[in-house]
Amino acid sequence: MRYSKQRRLILDTVLKNKVHPSADYIYNLLKDENPELSLGTVYRNLNFLAQNNMLKKINIPNGSDRFDGTLSKHQHVICTECGKVVDICVPELAKICDTILDKTGFEVNCDSLAFEGLCAECREKLQLQIKIHA
Amino acid sequence: MRYSKQRRLILDTVLKNKVHPSADYIYNLLKDENPELSLGTVYRNLNFLAQNNMLKKINIPNGSDRFDGTLSKHQHVICTECGKVVDICVPELAKICDTILDKTGFEVNCDSLAFEGLCAECREKLQLQIKIHA
DNA sequence: GTTAGTGCAAATCGTTTGCAATGTT
DNA sequence: AACATTGCAAACGATTTGCACTAAC
C-alpha cells in the first residue's frame, strides 16, 4: 500500500470530522485546497481504507454512504429526517447475535447495525409543523 | 385509492412470495403473463403500498430494496453473500430502543432494523473455498 | 523502473419522473 | 366525466470503471 497525498488527506478528513462524512462531503471540503482532487479518487480511497479496516463504512438508506474513523465496536443511529449519524454502544447486542445464530443459522455482525429514527431536533421541528397545519 | 389490475397483481405477488421480492424480481415474474406491465409501475405500486402500510419496504445495503407482506412487528436478517432475507423477532429490542431514546434523544424504530451477516449455506460455501485455495 | 494510484469522463445500477394515453370509479 | 393510474422513455443520484498519465517506492 502506497501513501499518496490524496489518501492521507482523505483519511485525515474522516478521522477529524466527527460528522461521519460522505464521499461528496469530503470532496467538497478538500477540493478548494486541492483543485486537482477528483471525486473518483475520494470514492476509491474511502473504499480501500474501509476494506483495510482503517475506516468503517456506514450504509444510509436512501442516502450516500458515510464513513467513520472510530474503529472500536459500536453501532449507529441515523436520523431519517436530517441524516445525522451518531455513535452508540449497545453491549446487549452480543447476546442477541448469539440467539440469532442459534435460531436462524445466520452469523450476524452486530457492529454494522444501524438504527433509524428521528433525532430530538427533528422531532421538535415536526411537532411544530403539525401545530401550524392544524 | 383505485384497485388497478396491476396493483392487485403486484400486491398478491409480494404476499405470496416469501422471498421478500425486489421490484425487479416481481417485474420479471409477472411480465411474461402481463407483457404490457412496466417496471415503473411496479416501483410506483410498491412504494404506494408501503406508504399505505400494506407492505414493508426493506432497505438492502448495496442492493435493491426488497418488500415484505408480513406486517406484524419483526426484524430482518440479510445475507451479505447471497442476498437472502429472513424474518426474525427480537422482542428485547423494545427495551434497547427505550435506552437509546434516553441516552441520545433519538426515537428509533425497532421495526425497521436489519441485521447483516452470512447465512449457514454461504458460510459453508466460503469455508470450502478457503480450503481449496489453501 | 515498476506498478500502485490518479484524474477525467463515460458507464453503471437502482430508482424516479414527466407526459400523453388509458382505466377505474 | 373526473382523475387516479399506466407505459414509456428520459432523467436521476450515487457510485464504479477504463484508460492514459503520474507519482511513490
Side-chain angles (χ1 to χ4, degrees), chain B:
Chain B
M1 197 241 284
R2 275 175 206 184
Y3 260 100
S4 69
K5 178 190 155 206
Q6 293 87 332
R7 181 160 298 165
R8 243 176 294 121
L9 216 47
I10 292 163
L11 178 55
D12 282 359
T13 306
V14 178
L15 294 178
K16 276 186 207 135
N17 279 72
K18 299 302 177 193
V19 296
H20 304 84
S22 65
D24 205 61
Y25 180 97
I26 294 168
Y27 174 66
N28 282 298
L29 202 68
L30 296 178
K31 75 165 176 221
D32 287 345
E33 308 265 289
N34 310 270
E36 61 334 315
L37 182 67
S38 86
L39 185 55
T41 296
V42 176
Y43 273 105
R44 265 190 292 232
N45 274 294
L46 289 171
N47 286 332
F48 175 93
L49 293 165
Q51 247 156 25
N52 289 69
N53 300 311
M54 305 171 73
L55 293 180
K56 274 192 190 187
K57 190 173 187 167
I58 311 166
N59 175 266
I60 308 287
N62 325 314
S64 311
D65 290 343
R66 308 277 286 268
F67 294 84
D68 186 353
T70 306
L71 297 172
S72 60
K73 209 175 217 352
H74 69 281
Q75 292 80 31
H76 292 107
V77 188
I78 302 163
C79 179
T80 51
E81 192 65 18
C82 69
K84 194 186 299 160
V85 176
V86 164
D87 292 329
I88 46 160
C89 195
V90 187
E92 303 93 298
L93 282 170
K95 202 188 286 178
I96 291 178
C97 287
D98 287 348
T99 312
I100 292 175
L101 180 58
D102 276 2
K103 281 198 193 162
T104 68
F106 271 74
E107 189 165 282
V108 300
N109 169 219
C110 285
D111 219 17
S112 70
L113 206 62
F115 293 82
E116 287 174 70
L118 287 174
C119 70
E121 295 84 61
C122 286
R123 280 216 314 286
E124 221 165 289
K125 265 185 219 158
L126 291 173
Q127 275 309 108
L128 262 175
Q129 277 178 31
I130 289 163
K131 277 181 197 158
I132 289 163
H133 287 296

Side-chain angles (χ1 to χ4, degrees), chain A residues 2-4 39-40 43-44 47 64-65:
Chain A
R2 276 176 206 183
Y3 261 100
S4 68
L39 185 55
Y43 273 105
R44 265 190 292 233
N47 285 333
S64 311
D65 289 344

Side-chain angles (χ1 to χ4, degrees), chain A residues 1 21 27 36 45 49 55-56 72 76 79 85 89 96 108 118 120 128 131 133:
Chain A
M1 197 241 282
Y27 175 66
E36 61 334 316
N45 274 294
L49 292 165
L55 292 180
K56 274 191 191 188
S72 60
H76 292 107
C79 179
V85 176
C89 196
I96 291 177
V108 299
L118 287 174
L128 263 174
K131 276 180 197 157
H133 287 294

Side-chain angles (χ1 to χ4, degrees), chain A residues 7 11 27 29 35 56 80 92-93 100 106 111 122 127:
Chain A
R7 180 161 299 165
L11 178 55
Y27 175 66
L29 201 70
K56 274 191 191 188
T80 50
E92 302 94 299
L93 283 171
I100 292 175
F106 271 75
D111 218 18
C122 287
Q127 274 310 107

